């Protein structure tokens, strides 16, 4: 009977999750335009400094080991916050790109597809980078490769620019500097 | 045809259930033969359900090159974990020595629905994490199948493990049938009723500070980016 209880609970949880996805999907469809407001700006320069391995090397040479670990953990927490924001922005851009996939203009559709692909890649890499950051939090002396996130974020920015320009040729400057 | 596995499943599943109903009503069919027919239906329906889950997965993730490899890895990992969990659950489910053909069918139902519900939940979790928009007919098929799988998993787990009286089992059978009919209505709704056409334009990208945009553009143009 314990097994039955476990399976019933698991089935109920799965059902609740699937129904909540259905509800949020319906809300997303009706919400639409509010998506752009969900993008949170990122200070790309500060992000770049945080993930620069040369900075880490410099701190390692200059600081005593215990102090370096403290500083490194603080930097890792800050990096995690940036990566989470980048991942959330990527998710918003996936939704925005998908809404442009139904456009009549082939060039816009291509740009939208490129934006969606880049955003998905970034979202995937952000999840993997967060795992690496949490591992590095436990072992602050280990190396950490978050640079691909930064590169992906910049690529995403470029894709968003292109799509924005194609969607609104009259105002090419409107694109997502907020990214 | 866009959903061959779904239509094969719907068609063969309807035939299997009609055959089972006829076997239940015909006095010439013995109880043992009824359960043999039930087993045959399960053995046809099981692989069809997994083919249908594969079809849903391919259509949700297949069009995104950046997710194709990760998606396959995730679904395979989930599949292996679920098969393992279903095998452990089946091993711990009590067997009836006298009516093994009946308890065996219950365990098989529990196993199929455990793997099916788990795979569908994995697809929903991954698509929700990546915010993939699933088009209306495919979403309807996945939703109906998921509701059916979750409810059937719960009821078959209780039937297979509970040792309850026949009257209670009959009530759970009615719950299964009612759920399946609701799912058929969901499929009809999503496949036959067209979506309301939205007049909203594509979501515009946000307006931002001109200076910041120009600076960012300039930096991107002049920067030497490493090749991916």
């Amino acid at each position: 009977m314990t097994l039955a209880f476990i399976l019933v609970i698991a089935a109920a949880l799965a059902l609740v999750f699937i129904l909540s996805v259905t509800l949020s999907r319906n809300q997303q469809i009706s919400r639409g335009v509010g998506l752009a407001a969900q993008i949170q700006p990122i200070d790309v320069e500060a992000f770049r400094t945080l993930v620069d391995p040369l900075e880490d090397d410099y701190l390692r040479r200059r600081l005593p080991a215990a102090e370096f670990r403290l500083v490194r953990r603080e930097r890792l927490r800050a990096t995690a916050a940036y990566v989470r924001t980048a991942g959330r922005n990527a998710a918003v851009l996936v939704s925005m790109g998908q809404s442009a996939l139904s456009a009549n203009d082939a060039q816009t559709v291509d740009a939208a597809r490129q934006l969606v692909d880049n955003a998905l890649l970034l979202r995937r890499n952000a999840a993997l980078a967060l795992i690496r950051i949490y591992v590095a939090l436990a072992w602050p002396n280990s190396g950490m490769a978050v640079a691909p996130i930064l590169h992906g974020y910049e690529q995403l920015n470029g894709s968003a620019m292109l799509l924005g320009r194609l969607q609104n040729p009259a105002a090419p400057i409107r694109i997502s500097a907020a990214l | 045809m866009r959903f061959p596995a779904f239509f094969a499943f719907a068609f063969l599943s309807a035939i299997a259930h009609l055959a089972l109903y006829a076997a239940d009503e015909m006095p010439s069919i013995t109880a043992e033969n009824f359960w043999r027919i039930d087993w045959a239906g399960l053995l046809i329906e099981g692989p069809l359900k997994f083919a249908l889950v594969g079809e849903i997965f391919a259509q949700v993730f297949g069009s995104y090159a950046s997710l194709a490899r990760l998606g396959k890895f995730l679904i395979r990992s989930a599949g292996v974990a679920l098969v393992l969990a279903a095998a452990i659950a089946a091993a711990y489910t009590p067997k009836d020595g006298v009516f093994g053909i009946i308890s065996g069918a219950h365990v098989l139902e529990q196993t199929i629905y455990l793997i099916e519900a788990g795979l569908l939940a994995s697809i929903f979790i991954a698509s929700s994490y990546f915010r993939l928009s699933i088009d209306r007919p495919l979403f309807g098929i996945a939703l109906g199948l998921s509701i059916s799988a979750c409810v059937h998993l719960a009821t078959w787990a209780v039937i297979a493990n509970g040792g309850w009286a026949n009257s209670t089992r009959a009530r759970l059978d009615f719950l299964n049938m009612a759920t399946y009919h609701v799912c058929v209505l969901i499929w009809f709704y999503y496949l036959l009723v067209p979506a309301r056409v939205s007049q909203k334009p594509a979501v515009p990208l946000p307006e931002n500070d001109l200076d910041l945009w120009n600076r960012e553009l300039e930096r991107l143009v002049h920067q030497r980016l490493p090749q991916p």
Side-chain angles (χ1 to χ4, degrees):
Chain A
M1 197 59 195
T2 312
L3 179 61
F5 185 69
I6 293 169
L7 291 177
V8 168
I9 296 285
L13 288 176
L15 188 59
V16 167
F17 175 76
I18 288 163
L19 292 177
S20 70
V21 169
T22 308
L23 285 178
S24 68
R25 178 182 186 267
N26 290 340
Q27 280 170 355
Q28 250 177 25
I29 289 169
S30 59
R31 201 172 51 208
V33 176
L35 277 172
Q38 292 176 26
I39 289 185
Q40 290 177 299
I42 282 186
D43 183 342
V44 179
E45 285 308 320
F47 190 13
R48 182 176 287 119
T49 309
L50 269 175
V51 299
D52 187 355
L54 294 176
E55 292 268 329
D56 274 337
D57 288 344
Y58 175 78
L59 290 170
R60 189 178 281 117
R61 282 198 309 273
R62 290 280 169 167
L63 297 173
E67 203 178 330
F68 169 73
R69 282 196 293 273
L70 277 175
V71 172
R72 171 104 163 120
R73 283 201 175 100
E74 285 305 313
R75 284 165 61 83
L76 284 169
R77 283 192 197 99
T79 308
Y82 273 109
V83 171
R84 272 195 295 271
T85 308
R88 275 198 296 268
N89 285 350
V92 175
L93 285 173
V94 169
S95 303
M96 292 166 77
Q98 284 178 331
S99 77
L101 281 173
S102 54
N104 294 324
D105 173 34
Q107 221 182 342
T108 304
V109 172
D110 280 348
R113 188 162 291 130
Q114 195 188 346
L115 173 65
V116 170
D117 260 341
N118 284 343
L120 286 172
L121 203 60
L122 180 66
R123 183 113 172 109
R124 185 196 76 175
N125 288 343
L128 298 176
L130 274 177
I131 295 170
R132 281 198 213 112
I133 289 170
Y134 291 132
V135 170
L137 272 171
W139 290 280
N141 286 319
S142 67
M144 178 194 61
V146 182
I149 297 292
L150 190 60
H151 175 52
Y153 202 73
E154 285 164 345
Q155 267 196 335
L156 189 61
N157 210 352
S159 304
M161 289 172 193
L162 179 62
L163 178 62
R165 194 179 296 173
L166 288 167
Q167 278 182 328
N168 195 349
I173 40 169
R174 292 174 59 194
I175 320 275
S176 56
L179 284 168
Chain B
M1 192 185 287
R2 197 184 151 195
F3 303 112
F6 174 71
F7 286 109
F9 163 75
F11 181 69
L12 291 173
S13 177
I15 289 178
H17 283 107
L18 278 173
L20 205 60
Y21 176 73
D24 195 28
E25 290 296 310
M26 286 164 72
S28 57
I29 305 274
T30 62
E32 202 172 8
N33 282 336
F34 170 84
W35 285 104
R36 281 194 185 119
I37 295 168
D38 185 50
W39 265 90
L42 283 178
L43 292 175
I44 294 169
E45 228 179 299
L48 273 174
K49 280 178 184 165
F50 296 127
L52 177 51
V53 172
E55 186 169 78
I56 292 168
F57 169 78
Q59 297 213 13
V60 171
F61 290 90
S63 47
Y64 304 105
S66 47
L67 284 186
R69 271 181 62 195
L70 179 74
K72 274 181 194 159
F73 171 76
L74 287 178
I75 202 79
R76 280 177 189 158
S77 308
V80 169
L82 286 163
V83 167
L84 202 64
I88 292 169
Y92 280 98
T93 301
K95 312 290 179 303
D96 190 332
V98 185
F99 302 107
I101 194 169
I102 301 174
S103 63
H106 293 165
V107 173
L108 185 59
E109 295 267 20
Q110 176 189 284
T111 304
I112 290 172
Y113 284 114
L114 177 54
I115 299 171
E116 184 191 348
L119 287 175
L120 287 164
S122 307
I123 291 174
F124 270 96
I125 289 169
S127 66
S128 160
Y129 177 76
F130 287 107
R131 295 232 197 150
L132 301 179
S133 71
I134 306 174
D135 68 9
R136 187 180 160 85
L138 186 63
F139 185 82
I141 290 172
L143 178 65
L145 199 67
S146 303
I147 292 173
S148 161
C150 291
V151 174
H152 280 74
L153 169 61
T155 54
W156 284 114
V158 170
I159 292 171
N161 296 279
W164 289 13
N166 280 343
S167 58
T168 314
R169 286 184 183 186
R171 276 187 213 135
L172 291 176
D173 271 340
F174 276 111
L175 175 61
N176 277 348
M177 283 189 278
T179 305
Y180 195 76
H181 282 91
V182 169
C183 294
V184 170
L185 291 178
I186 289 174
W187 288 328
F188 272 121
Y189 174 73
Y190 277 94
L191 289 170
L192 301 180
V193 179
R196 271 176 292 178
V197 179
S198 169
Q199 295 302 313
K200 280 181 290 194
V203 181
L205 288 161
E207 277 196 62
N208 282 290
D209 178 43
L210 177 59
D211 288 341
L212 192 56
W213 153 247
N214 284 340
R215 216 166 46 231
E216 191 66 11
L217 180 63
E218 201 175 323
R219 191 178 58 74
L220 275 167
V221 168
H222 291 106
Q223 191 177 32
R224 264 191 254 160
L225 289 174
Q227 289 306 305

